[in-house]
Amino acid sequence: AGFGSVRDEAYWAAQEPVPGTIEWTPEVVNYTDALADENIDLYMVLSYGNPNWDDNVAPTSPEGIEAFADYAVAAVGRFGTDRVYDVWNEWNWGFGDGPAGRKAETYLALLKATYTKVKAAYPDAKLVGPVSAGVPADWLHEFFEGGGLDYIDGLSIHPYTWPVGPEVLEKSLQDTRAIMAEYGEPKPMYVSEIGWPTGTDVRAVDDVTQARYLAQAQAISLSNDVERFVVYNFMEKGTDDADTEHRFGIVHNRADIRGAYTPKPSYASLATSNRLLAGKASTGKTTIGPVTDYAFAADGSSSTHVLWSTEPTTVSIAATGTVTVTDLYGASTTLEPSSSGEVSVSIGSDPVYVEGAVSAVEADATHSLTVSDSDVGEEIRGTWSIDNTTGTDPITAELRIGDETWT
């Protein structure tokens, strides 16, 4: 599916059951070795408490903080400096309970000690934080005011927007970067968790909406200079449709009646996005009426446009050669430009990927084709409209679907 990185943990408590002795569990050794064998990057989370210190909650005592820093040093020594390490996870939420009080100042005490000790042993290690649940502006201000920017190599955040869609994600990322910039040179930004649960909970979305939202969120994030985009999570944690925590995954749980690891639509939508955007840099965002267009390119000869719309519409794509149009799940169609150097593409709420030597994307009021949703085997109803009220010459149009043609 084109995923190049896996974010996972090696719980401190499991690796250091006896104070002063760190032994990596077989589970951790096996999964990290398997990732290395497949040439998949490991993004490691350093977490959580240890019953040997601070009653197994977020460490605040000098002894607990020093022990956590030693565990971090051991992790970097074992897994290498050529990867990213989250220092803790969501301290500002439930994983920062106890005397730490979820406060930025108590997280900073842990971060500063950990960062200083790891960098002394491994100067090239990449440690990121604060790994916040959401993007809490007041908490982040406190974090940066306390000097947090000096103790991270990147800003790791979890900018969840659910139960609403990703339409608010862009502003959230931009506002967070602006807060960081108030305190110095901004560091690279890592979206280290984001997702939408499916299921029967009132806050959940259906499978198709999850697929759409994740593809949109990835385009938005990459267009806003996000260094790493991590989907939460890969496999569903359980089989209870009413439990949102069970249903974030993009493949089903191994105990699911639909089959172990069977893919949800979001698996296919992200595979499409990964394949079409890999190695490409953002070249900007354009809004054409209800249509949003995020453009990416690897070189100057071709570009990839990710388009979706808040209402069914048609756009005109100006191109100097063949254009490939790919839908959310990877089905592609090749189009040849007309004599005027244009192709028309129908856009809806699902992202559509347009690849080729594209010079412009504009609104197209000349014609449109809309089709209704339908189940497999049922009749599909569609409307094809031609509007030449502003033209000076007659238009001859041909619609081909399979072996049938309409003129």
Side-chain angles (χ1 to χ4, degrees):
F3 298 105
S5 180
V6 169
R7 180 177 181 264
D8 212 331
E9 296 159 311
Y11 296 124
W12 177 26
Q15 318 313 314
E16 192 175 0
V18 177
T21 301
I22 295 178
E23 295 183 359
W24 305 101
T25 62
E27 179 186 18
V28 169
V29 172
N30 290 340
Y31 91 72
T32 55
D33 285 351
L35 290 176
D37 291 342
E38 297 296 329
N39 198 30
I40 297 175
D41 173 66
L42 169 65
Y43 182 148
M44 176 67 77
V45 186
L46 304 172
S47 60
Y48 291 103
N50 189 310
N52 294 307
W53 295 276
D54 299 282
D55 296 323
N56 202 32
V57 295
T60 54
S61 69
E63 298 79 13
I65 289 174
E66 182 178 10
F68 181 86
D70 288 339
Y71 148 73
V73 170
V76 176
R78 170 63 176 82
F79 302 109
T81 59
D82 57 341
R83 63 193 72 258
V84 178
Y85 294 87
D86 271 339
V87 180
W88 206 261
N89 183 67
E90 297 187 346
W91 185 283
N92 66 309
W93 191 60
F95 300 120
D97 281 347
R102 307 185 181 187
K103 296 178 181 179
E105 63 179 304
T106 56
Y107 175 74
L108 277 165
L110 180 78
L111 175 66
K112 290 178 180 179
T114 302
Y115 189 89
T116 300
K117 201 159 196 175
V118 169
K119 288 290 188 175
Y122 301 101
D124 294 331
K126 186 176 290 186
L127 304 182
V128 299
V131 206
S132 61
V135 283
D138 291 344
W139 197 96
L140 288 172
H141 275 294
E142 293 175 10
F143 171 75
F144 290 124
E145 286 169 359
L149 200 57
D150 295 330
Y151 295 92
I152 55 173
D153 299 311
L155 185 74
S156 176
I157 56 173
H158 299 169
Y160 288 101
T161 69
W162 75 283
V164 301
E167 60 271 10
V168 298
L169 176 60
E170 187 156 51
K171 186 176 187 304
S172 177
L173 294 174
Q174 293 171 351
D175 288 349
T176 302
R177 192 181 300 278
I179 291 173
M180 180 166 47
E182 292 180 28
Y183 299 91
E185 185 68 25
K187 300 291 178 71
M189 188 178 292
Y190 293 76
V191 172
S192 48
E193 280 187 26
I194 195 168
W196 283 265
T198 60
T200 58
D201 186 280
V202 67
R203 300 164 298 167
V205 299
D206 59 45
D207 285 4
V208 172
T209 300
Q210 182 194 49
R212 177 190 309 131
Y213 282 175
L214 285 172
Q216 290 175 342
Q218 185 171 43
I220 291 168
S221 297
L222 297 180
S223 186
N224 281 273
D225 299 322
V226 166
E227 187 83 6
R228 191 76 62 89
F229 177 83
V230 181
V231 172
Y232 182 83
N233 56 349
F234 182 69
M235 184 187 71
E236 294 183 333
K237 288 188 174 181
T239 59
D240 185 353
D241 279 353
D243 188 336
T244 55
E245 189 60 28
H246 280 202
R247 298 301 310 278
F248 274 94
I250 63 172
V251 301
H252 292 119
N253 185 272
R254 60 175 66 91
D256 197 289
I257 60 173
R258 287 160 288 201
Y261 308 111
T262 51
K264 295 163 70 175
S266 52
Y267 181 90
S269 71
L270 286 168
T272 301
S273 180
N274 290 340
R275 174 170 57 86
L276 296 179
L277 298 183
K280 297 173 184 176
S282 170
T283 58
K285 172 192 175 184
T286 305
T287 301
I288 311 113
V291 177
T292 300
D293 171 15
Y294 288 97
F296 299 85
D299 54 51
S301 63
S302 180
S303 59
T304 299
H305 294 253
V306 189
L307 304 115
W308 64 84
S309 178
T310 56
E311 60 186 54
T313 190
T314 303
V315 294
S316 176
I317 310 291
T320 57
T322 299
V323 170
T324 301
V325 180
T326 304
D327 71 11
L328 182 62
Y329 302 112
S332 295
T333 301
T334 300
L335 302 177
E336 294 291 339
S338 66
S339 58
S340 59
E342 298 174 342
V343 299
S344 295
V345 178
S346 297
I347 306 296
S349 56
D350 287 349
V352 171
Y353 302 84
V354 177
E355 299 176 279
V358 175
S359 58
V361 179
E362 299 175 342
D364 183 356
T366 304
H367 70 89
S368 64
L369 174 65
T370 58
V371 294
S372 62
D373 291 334
S374 178
D375 293 328
V376 174
E378 291 187 354
E379 182 181 72
I380 300 174
R381 292 186 175 274
T383 302
W384 181 33
S385 302
I386 305 293
D387 185 351
N388 193 32
T389 54
T390 60
T392 57
D393 298 316
I395 289 179
T396 299
E398 184 178 85
L399 175 64
R400 283 175 292 172
I401 301 178
D403 295 329
E404 297 191 59
T405 300
W406 294 266
T407 302

